[in-house]
C-alpha cells in the first residue's frame, strides 16, 4: 500500500465519518423542531450544518472526471454516473432535507438563512441522486414555496428554472415515455401559482417549461381542471396569454395582452469576481462542472455568465463551449415575428423556443404564422424544435388531455358564484386559520379573488367550450352531458344583474357566442340536450349547483326550475322542448315534493306559468299544450296523471285560463265514451272525407285544424331511484296510490278531479257567483256535466255492492257533491220566475198515449223517487234543471202564464222530458239512494287523495 493511497483512504474514512455525524445532527434538529423542544434550533444553526453538505458535495463533484450534468439527462447512464462518486449517504441526506422542510414552519428565527442554504444544497445534491429521487426533486423544490418566506420566492423560481428543471424533466424513460419528473410539472405549476402572488414568477416558470418540454398546455389544463382557485385563475390567464389564438373571432385578444413581466427580476451573472456583480444579466451558460466550481465556489453547476465574463473565461479555456440562454418574452405578439414573412395571413399560429429559431429574434422565443411555421418546421428541418401550437379541437386530443379540457371548462364555469355568497367572511376565516397554524416565517395564501373576478373567470371556460368543445358524432354522451349541465348552471348563476362592465361582458358573451353554440348542439344532439334539462338527468350530467351539495328533493327541483327559467329569455327553450321537458318536471313535483313543502315552489312556478308575465315566448295556450295533448286520444291513466299536475298548480294558486280547462276536459270526457281506438278511427275517417263542420267552440275548431297527433301518449315515468345527490330525506313522499283497475273506475276518478280543479280555479279567478245561466262559463259547465253523465257513464254503471268502505261508491258520492257545488256556484239564488213542477213539462203527445190511471201512478212514483234522491244531497232541483237544460237566447219573449220558469218553453231544440229525466236519473243513481247504508264518515273525504 503506497503512502498516497493510504492518505486518500484515511481522508475518505474521515469524510465519511464527518458526513454521518452531520447527518445525525440534522436528524437531531428535526426531532427538536418536531417536538417543539426549548430551546429549539435556530435557522442559522441548521443553515450552517446544511452548508457543510453543500461544500462537501461540490468538493466531491470537482474530482469527478466525467460530466455528470451531461450524463444525468440519460437514465441509462445512471449506474455509471453513481459509480463515479465515493460511497456517501446521499439518499439519507436527501431524506433529512425533506424532513427538515416539513418542520421548517417551527423555526422561530433565521428562516431566511435556512431557506437559502436549503435551496443551495438541493442544487448541489442533484448529480448524486438516483432515478427515483431525481424524479421527486422538482416537486420538493416547488413545495418549499409554501413554507419559506416570500422574500425567497424569487430564489425558489431561479433554482427551479436554472438548476433543477433543465436536468430533470428532460430525462426520458427506457420506453421513450415521459419520466415521473415530467409528469409532476402540473403539481409544480400549481404550487407556484398558488403561493406566489407575483405574475412575473408565473411567467418565468412557464417560459422555462415551454423551453424544455412539449405540450405544456396539457399541464396548464390539468391545473385549471383540478387546481386551487388561485392557481386556476393564473393558469387560465396565461393559457390565453401565451398560446396562439385558436379562434381570432371568438374573443378580443388585445384585452388579454397585458404585460405580466413588469416585475421580472433578471437572472444575473453567477461568477464571483464578475466586474458588474448583481447588475449584469446572464446570457451564456457553461455545463462544465469543474469550471463552474472554479469560478463560483458556492453555487451549484452549471455556471451562468454575462457576456463579459463568458468572453474572459473563453480566452483562458479555448476548448469550452457556451450555450445561449433564452431571454424572456418582452411582449406576446398576435402576428408573425419573422422579418422575412411573405404570407398574406400573418396571424400567429405557433411559438418556437429552440435556440436556432430564437436567434432570428434576438434570443427571444419567436412566433410564426402558418406559412412560416411550415417553412421552419417540416420533415427536413426543425424536427427537434420545441414548438407550441394553438389548442386543437377536443376530439383531436388524446384521451388524457381531453379529460383535462373538459374538467377545465367545468371548473372555470363553476367559479361563478351567486350574489349572496359572502367571500369576505370566508377569507377572514381562512386568514384566522392560517395565522393560528402558521409560524413567523411561513406564509399561508388565501383566496383573494373578488366576486367580479370570479364571474369574469368564467369567460375563459366559455371560450374553451365554444372554441374547442363543439360536439361531433363521435363525442361521448358523458362528456357532452357534463358540459351542458355545467353551462346551464353558469347561466343560472350569471342571470342576475351585476354592476358595471361585468354584466355587459357576460351578456354580450351569451348573445354573441353561447346561444348559437347551444342551438347547434340542440339540433345535432337533441336527446342529450333534453336529458340535461330533466329533473332527474343521467348520473354523468349531475354537476354544478345543487348537484354539488346535499339538499332535499324539493330544493333540487326548485333550483332545477330556476336553472330552466334562466335559459328561457335566450330562446333556447323551444315549444317542442317545452312540451317534452315539462311533463317530467310536473311528475317529479307530484311524486317527490311532500304536501307541506309544495308551497316552496310557488314563486318559481308562478314565474314560469304566469299567463301574462311568463318569460316564455309563446302564449298561454301553447304554454299548457303539454297538458292539453294528454287529453286527446289518451287513456284514463294518462289523463289522471295530467289532472294531478293541474291540481298541484291549482293548490299553488296558479291561474289556468278557464277556456283551456273546458277544452281539455271536454276532450278528455269525449274520449271516455268510445275509447281511444274508436277516436283514432274516427279521426282517420274524417281526414279522408274532409272536415264536416265545427265542434261547437273556438278551441275545438282550432283543434280540428291541427294535424292529427300520435295515437296514444304513455304516462310519464320519472326516476324512482330517489337518487338526487346522496341525500336521505326524513320524509319520503308517498306516491299516488292507484286503487282502481277498470276503465270505468279511472274515468270516474278523472271526472272527480276535473270538477275539483274547475271549482277551485273558478274561485281562484274570482268568477262571479250566482251569475245565472246566461254566461259562457255556465254554458261550458252545463256541457261538461252532460258529457260526464252520458259519455263517461258517471253514476250509470253496473256497479252494485253492499260494502261499508267501497272506494267506487265514495268516489261517486264525491262526484255528486262536487257537481252540486258547481251548480250552486252558478245558479241564481232567487230566480225571478221559479220553475214549475217537473211533471208540467210533459208534452201533450205523451199524455195522449197514456191512460189517466197510468199517468197518475207515474207522477206519484216520480215524486216519491225525486224526494228520496234530493233529500240527502240537498240539490235545488230548479237551478239544476236550468243548468242542465242550457242557456237560452238573450232575446227572450214574455213568458206565458203556464211556462216553466220562462225557460223551457222557448227551447224547441232541447227536449224538456229528456232534460228532466236526465236530472232525475242522475239523482236516482246516487249511491246514497242505491245503497242501504249512508257513508256519513267518508262523504267529506278530501279530493286530494284522488
Amino acid at each position: 500500500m503506497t503512502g498516497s493511497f493510504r492518505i486518500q483512504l484515511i481522508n475518505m474514512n474521515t469524510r465519511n465519518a464527518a458526513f454521518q455525524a452531520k447527518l445525525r445532527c440534522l436528524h437531531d434538529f428535526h426531532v427538536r423542531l418536531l417536538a417543539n423542544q426549548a430551546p429549539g434550533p435556530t435557522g442559522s444553526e441548521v443553515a450552517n450544518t446544511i452548508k457543510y453538505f453543500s461544500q462537501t458535495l461540490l468538493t466531491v463533484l470537482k474530482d469527478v472526471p466525467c460530466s455528470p450534468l451531461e450524463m444525468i439527462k440519460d437514465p441509462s447512464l445512471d449506474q455509471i454516473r453513481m459509480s463515479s462518486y465515493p460511497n456517501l449517504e446521499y439518499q439519507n441526506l436527501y431524506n433529512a432535507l425533506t424532513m427538515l422542510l416539513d418542520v421548517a414552519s417551527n423555526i422561530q428565527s433565521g428562516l431566511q438563512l435556512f431557506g437559502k442554504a436549503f435551496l443551495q444544497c438541493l442544487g448541489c445534491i442533484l448529480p448524486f441522486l438516483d432515478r427515483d429521487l431525481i424524479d421527486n426533486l422538482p416537486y420538493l423544490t416547488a413545495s418549499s414555496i409554501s413554507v419559506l418566506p416570500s422574500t425567497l420566492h424569487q430564489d425558489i423560481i431561479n433554482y427551479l428554472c436554472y438548476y433543477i428543471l433543465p436536468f430533470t424533466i428532460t430525462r426520458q424513460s427506457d420506453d421513450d415515455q415521459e419520466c415521473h419528473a415530467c409528469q409532476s410539472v402540473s403539481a409544480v405549476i400549481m404550487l407556484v401559482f398558488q403561493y406566489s402572488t407575483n405574475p412575473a414568477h408565473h411567467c418565468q416558470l412557464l417560459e422555462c417549461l415551454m423551453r424544455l418540454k412539449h405540450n405544456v398546455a396539457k399541464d396548464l389544463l390539468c391545473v385549471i381542471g383540478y387546481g386551487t382557485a388561485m392557481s386556476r385563475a393564473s393558469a387560465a390567464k396565461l393559457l390565453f396569454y401565451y398560446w396562439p389564438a385558436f379562434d381570432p373571432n371568438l374573443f378580443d385578444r388585445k384585452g388579454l395582452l397585458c404585460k405580466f413581466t413588469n416585475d421580472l427580476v433578471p437572472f444575473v451573472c453567477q461568477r464571483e469576481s464578475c466586474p458588474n456583480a448583481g447588475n449584469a444579466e446572464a446570457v451564456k451558460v457553461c455545463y462544465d462542472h469543474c469550471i463552474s466550481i472554479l469560478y463560483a465556489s458556492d453555487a451549484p453547476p452549471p455556471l451562468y455568465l454575462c457576456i463579459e465574463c463568458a468572453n474572459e473565461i473563453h480566452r483562458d479555456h479555448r476548448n469550452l463551449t457556451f450555450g445561449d440562454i433564452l431571454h424572456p418574452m418582452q411582449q406576446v405578439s398576435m402576428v408573425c415575428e419573422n422579418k422575412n414573412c411573405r404570407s398574406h395571413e400573418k396571424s400567429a399560429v405557433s411559438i418556437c423556443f429552440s435556440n436556432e429559431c430564437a436567434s432570428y429574434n434576438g434570443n427571444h422565443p419567436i412566433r410564426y404564422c402558418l406559412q412560416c411555421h411550415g417553412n421552419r418546421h417540416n420533415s427536413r428541418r426543425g424536427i427537434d424544435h420545441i414548438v407550441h401550437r394553438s389548442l386543437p379541437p377536443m376530439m383531436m386530443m388524446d384521451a388524457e388531455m381531453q379529460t383535462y379540457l373538459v374538467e377545465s371548462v367545468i371548473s372555470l364555469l363553476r367559479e361563478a358564484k351567486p350574489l349572496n355568497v359572502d367571500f369576505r367572511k370566508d377569507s377572514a376565516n381562512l386568514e384566522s386559520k392560517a395565522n393560528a397554524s402558521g409560524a413567523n416565517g411561513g406564509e399561508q395564501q388565501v383566496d383573494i379573488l373578488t366576486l367580479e373576478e370570479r364571474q369574469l373567470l368564467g369567460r375563459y371556460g366559455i371560450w374553451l367550450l365554444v372554441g374547442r368543445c363543439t360536439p361531433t358524432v363521435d363525442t361521448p354522451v358523458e362528456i357532452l352531458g357534463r358540459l351542458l349541465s355545467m353551462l346551464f348552471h353558469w347561466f343560472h348563476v350569471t342571470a342576475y344583474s351585476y354592476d358595471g362592465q361585468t354584466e355587459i361582458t357576460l351578456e354580450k358573451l351569451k348573445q354573441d357566442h353561447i346561444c348559437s353554440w347551444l342551438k347547434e348542439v340542440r339540433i345535432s344532439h337533441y336527446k342529450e340536450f333534453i336529458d340535461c334539462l330533466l329533473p332527474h338527468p343521467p348520473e354523468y350530467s349531475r354537476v354544478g349547483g345543487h348537484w354539488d351539495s346535499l339538499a332535499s328533493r324539493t330544493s333540487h327541483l326548485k333550483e332545477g326550475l330556476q336553472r330552466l327559467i334562466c335559459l328561457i329569455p335566450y330562446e333556447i327553450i323551444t315549444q317542442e322542448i317545452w312540451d317534452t321537458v315539462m311533463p317530467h318536471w310536473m311528475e317529479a313535483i307530484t311524486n317527490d315534493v311532500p304536501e307541506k313543502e309544495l308551497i316552496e315552489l310557488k314563486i318559481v312556478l308562478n314565474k314560469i306559468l304566469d299567463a301574462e308575465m311568463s318569460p316564455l315566448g309563446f302564449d298561454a295556450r301553447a304554454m299548457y299544450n303539454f297538458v292539453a295533448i294528454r287529453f286527446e286520444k289518451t287513456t284514463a291513466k294518462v289523463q289522471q296523471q295530467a289532472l294531478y299536475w293541474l291540481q298541484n298548480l291549482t293548490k299553488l294558486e296558479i291561474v289556468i285560463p278557464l277556456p283551456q280547462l273546458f277544452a281539455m276536459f271536454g276532450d278528455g270526457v269525449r274520449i271516455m265514451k268510445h275509447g281511444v281506438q274508436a277516436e283514432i278511427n274516427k279521426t282517420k275517417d274524417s281526414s279522408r272525407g274532409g272536415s264536416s263542420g265545427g265542434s261547437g267552440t273556438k278551441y275545438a275548431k282550432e283543434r280540428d285544424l291541427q294535424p292529427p297527433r300520435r295515437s296514444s301518449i304513455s304516462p310519464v315515468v320519472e326516476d324512482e331511484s330517489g337518487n338526487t345527490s346522496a341525500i336521505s330525506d326524513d320524509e319520503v313522499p308517498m306516491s299516488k296510490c292507484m286503487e282502481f283497475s277498470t276503465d270505468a273506475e279511472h274515468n270516474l276518478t278523472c271526472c272527480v278531479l276535473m270538477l275539483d280543479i274547475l271549482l277551485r280555479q273558478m274561485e281562484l279567478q274570482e268568477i262571479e257567483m250566482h251569475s245565472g245561466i246566461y254566461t259562457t262559463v255556465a254554458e261550458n259547465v252545463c256541457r261538461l256535466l252532460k258529457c260526464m253523465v252520458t259519455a263517461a257513464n258517471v253514476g250509470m254503471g253496473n256497479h252494485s255492492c253492499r260494502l261499508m268502505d267501497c272506494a267506487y261508491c265514495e268516489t261517486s258520492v264525491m262526484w255528486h257533491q262536487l257537481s252540486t257545488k258547481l251548480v250552486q256556484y252558478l245558479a241564481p239564488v232567487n230566480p225571478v220566475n221559479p220553475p214549475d213542477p217537473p211533471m208540467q213539462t210533459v208534452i201533450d203527445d205523451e199524455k195522449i198515449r197514456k191512460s189517466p190511471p197510468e199517468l197518475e201512478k207515474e207522477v206519484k212514483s216520480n215524486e216519491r223517487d225525486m224526494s228520496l234522491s234530493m233529500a240527502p244531497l240537498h240539490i235545488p232541483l230548479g237551478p239544476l234543471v236550468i243548468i242542465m237544460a242550457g242557456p237560452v237566447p238573450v232575446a227572450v219573449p214574455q213568458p206565458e202564464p203556464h211556462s216553466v220558469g220562462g225557460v223551457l218553453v222557448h227551447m224547441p231544440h232541447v227536449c224538456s222530458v229528456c232534460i228532466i229525466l236526465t236530472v232525475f236519473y242522475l239523482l236516482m243513481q246516487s249511491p246514497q239512494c242505491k245503497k242501504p247504508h249512508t257513508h256519513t264518515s267518508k262523504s267529506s273525504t278530501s279530493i286530494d287523495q284522488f
Side-chain angles (χ1 to χ4, degrees), residues 222-266:
C222 182
V223 174
I224 297 172
Y226 301 100
T228 59
M230 290 291 295
S231 62
R232 181 183 302 120
S234 298
K237 294 175 183 178
L238 293 179
L239 178 66
F240 285 88
Y241 176 70
Y242 280 111
W243 270 257
F246 45 79
D247 187 356
N249 300 323
L250 185 59
F251 53 88
D252 184 12
R253 191 169 175 82
K254 293 181 180 179
L256 299 174
L257 293 180
C258 53
K259 197 170 184 180
F260 284 97
T261 57
N262 288 334
D263 299 330
L264 181 63
V265 178

Side-chain angles (χ1 to χ4, degrees), residues 118-395:
F118 176 82
L119 294 173
Q120 181 187 11
C121 190
L122 288 182
C124 295
I125 200 176
L126 172 61
F128 299 90
L129 299 178
D130 57 10
R131 176 179 304 182
D132 295 336
L133 299 183
I134 287 177
D135 290 336
N136 295 334
L137 191 59
Y139 180 79
L140 177 64
T141 307
S143 62
S144 65
I145 199 172
S146 63
V147 179
L148 301 181
S150 58
T151 54
L152 290 178
H153 286 180
Q154 184 64 59
D155 294 335
I156 296 173
I157 301 299
N158 288 339
Y159 270 93
L160 278 172
C161 295
Y162 296 105
Y163 297 104
I164 306 296
L165 293 176
F167 306 101
T168 54
I169 66 174
T170 55
R171 289 165 53 90
Q172 295 295 324
S173 60
D174 297 335
D175 53 354
D176 293 333
Q177 298 295 326
E178 288 185 340
C179 61
H180 293 293
C182 192
Q183 295 175 0
S184 67
V185 166
S186 56
V188 173
I189 295 175
M190 188 190 68
L191 284 169
V192 174
F193 285 10
Q194 170 67 23
Y195 290 97
S196 175
T197 58
N198 189 350
H201 296 165
H202 305 169
C203 294
Q204 181 179 347
L205 175 64
L206 202 57
E207 290 186 25
C208 171
L209 294 172
M210 295 172 72
R211 184 178 72 250
L212 298 174
K213 72 184 295 283
H214 297 276
N215 208 8
V216 182
K218 178 189 290 188
D219 300 306
L220 274 183
L221 290 176
C222 182
V223 174
I224 297 172
Y226 301 100
T228 59
M230 290 291 295
S231 62
R232 181 183 302 120
S234 298
K237 294 175 183 178
L238 293 179
L239 178 66
F240 285 88
Y241 176 70
Y242 280 111
W243 270 257
F246 45 79
D247 187 356
N249 300 323
L250 185 59
F251 53 88
D252 184 12
R253 191 169 175 82
K254 293 181 180 179
L256 299 174
L257 293 180
C258 53
K259 197 170 184 180
F260 284 97
T261 57
N262 288 334
D263 299 330
L264 181 63
V265 178
F267 190 62
V268 296
C269 180
Q270 299 298 301
R271 184 188 177 193
E272 294 178 351
S273 58
C274 177
N276 299 315
N279 296 321
E281 183 178 0
V283 295
K284 294 291 183 177
V285 58
C286 177
Y287 293 102
D288 191 317
H289 62 285
C290 296
I291 298 298
S292 176
I293 297 173
L294 179 62
Y295 290 95
S297 58
D298 292 335
L303 180 62
Y304 293 91
L305 303 167
C306 62
I307 190 64
E308 296 182 8
C309 292
N311 293 333
E312 184 178 346
I313 294 176
H314 185 66
R315 285 193 296 267
D316 297 335
H317 305 275
R318 294 291 182 179
N319 57 341
L320 287 180
T321 301
F322 296 92
D324 294 324
I325 300 177
L326 279 181
H327 298 307
M329 300 179 65
Q330 299 296 327
Q331 182 67 45
V332 176
S333 175
M334 294 187 298
V335 296
C336 182
E337 294 180 318
N338 183 12
K339 299 177 181 179
N340 300 321
C341 178
R342 295 182 176 87
S343 175
H344 298 289
E345 179 56 46
K346 294 184 179 296
S347 298
V349 298
S350 69
I351 177 172
C352 183
F353 280 81
S354 65
N355 288 326
E356 180 184 351
C357 289
S359 61
Y360 302 121
N361 194 34
N363 269 359
H364 294 280
I366 185 171
R367 299 171 75 90
Y368 288 122
C369 63
L370 184 60
Q371 180 176 335
C372 294
H373 170 75
N375 295 334
R376 297 289 186 182
H377 310 105
N378 48 50
S379 59
R380 297 188 304 269
R381 57 184 298 190
I383 299 177
D384 58 340
H385 290 189
I386 298 180
V387 182
H388 300 275
R389 300 198 61 179
S390 57
L391 294 178
M394 178 181 64
M395 297 311 298

Side-chain angles (χ1 to χ4, degrees), residues 565 568 578 582 586 589 603-616 620 623-624 626 645 649 654-657:
I565 290 177
I568 292 176
W578 176 261
M582 279 309 294
M586 297 306 302
I589 293 174
I603 296 178
V604 61
L605 286 176
N606 267 290
K607 290 180 180 179
I608 301 178
L609 299 174
D610 192 307
E612 297 180 356
M613 303 299 293
S614 175
L616 293 169
M623 184 190 305
Y624 289 100
F626 73 93
W645 304 345
L649 296 180
I654 296 176
V655 175
I656 306 173

Side-chain angles (χ1 to χ4, degrees), residues 432-641:
S432 61
K433 293 179 180 179
N435 294 333
S437 60
N440 295 336
E443 296 184 2
Q444 301 290 334
Q445 297 294 328
V446 297
D447 187 359
I448 58 175
L449 294 178
T450 63
L451 181 60
E452 290 75 14
E453 290 174 340
R454 286 181 176 272
Q455 302 302 118
L456 293 177
L457 195 58
R459 293 181 303 167
Y460 302 102
I462 294 298
W463 292 333
L464 288 174
L465 174 68
V466 177
R468 299 291 84 180
C469 299
T470 301
T472 62
V473 292
D474 300 327
T475 303
V477 294
E478 294 81 5
I479 291 179
L480 182 58
R482 287 176 60 81
L483 292 176
L484 284 176
S485 180
M486 196 65 230
L487 182 60
F488 294 157
H489 168 68
W490 183 80
F491 263 90
H492 177 207
V493 175
T494 59
Y496 305 100
S497 60
Y498 292 89
D499 297 332
Q501 188 65 27
T502 305
E503 179 182 3
I504 300 175
T505 303
L506 296 179
E507 290 301 320
K508 187 175 185 298
L509 196 61
K510 295 177 184 179
Q511 297 291 347
D512 294 347
H513 303 292
I514 307 177
C515 292
S516 58
W517 186 85
L518 278 174
K519 291 176 182 178
E520 293 178 1
V521 175
R522 185 181 64 194
I523 296 173
S524 60
H525 296 75
Y526 182 77
K527 182 181 181 301
E528 291 78 9
F529 191 88
I530 291 295
D531 288 343
C532 294
L533 294 174
L534 297 179
H536 299 131
E539 192 69 28
Y540 53 79
S541 297
R542 300 182 179 186
V543 57
H546 53 92
W547 294 115
D548 294 341
S549 61
L550 293 176
S552 64
R553 293 178 174 87
T554 304
S555 299
H556 274 273
L557 294 177
K558 183 178 179 181
E559 292 298 322
L561 288 172
Q562 290 282 6
R563 180 183 295 188
L564 190 63
I565 290 177
C566 298
L567 297 175
I568 292 176
Y570 301 96
E571 300 180 356
I572 298 173
I573 307 299
T574 61
Q575 177 70 57
E576 182 182 4
I577 294 177
W578 176 261
D579 292 343
T580 305
V581 170
M582 279 309 294
H584 292 271
W585 282 101
M586 297 306 302
E587 184 64 13
I589 293 174
T590 303
N591 293 335
D592 294 351
V593 180
E595 184 75 21
K596 62 182 181 181
E597 297 179 6
L598 189 62
I599 193 64
E600 297 182 18
L601 302 177
K602 180 177 180 180
I603 296 178
V604 61
L605 286 176
N606 267 290
K607 290 180 180 179
I608 301 178
L609 299 174
D610 192 307
E612 297 180 356
M613 303 299 293
S614 175
L616 293 169
F618 29 87
D619 56 10
R621 184 168 178 268
M623 184 190 305
Y624 289 100
N625 184 62
F626 73 93
V627 183
I629 60 177
R630 277 162 170 75
F631 292 93
E632 302 175 8
K633 308 181 185 68
T634 56
T635 61
K637 290 184 178 180
V638 177
Q639 296 185 29
Q640 187 174 349
Q641 190 180 56

Side-chain angles (χ1 to χ4, degrees), residues 877-937:
L877 183 59
L880 184 58
V881 171
I882 297 174
I883 296 297
M884 296 297 294
V888 299
V890 178
V892 180
Q894 290 293 332
E896 296 180 2
H898 299 287
S899 65
V900 186
V903 176
L904 299 180
V905 295
H906 298 289
M907 300 178 63
H909 61 284
V910 180
C911 177
S912 302
V913 174
C914 294
I915 297 172
I916 294 177
L917 290 179
T918 299
V919 178
F920 174 76
Y921 191 80
L922 171 64
L923 298 177
M924 289 298 297
Q925 291 297 322
S926 172
Q928 293 179 339
C929 298
K930 292 180 63 177
K931 296 175 64 175
H933 62 274
T934 303
H935 298 292
T936 57
S937 61

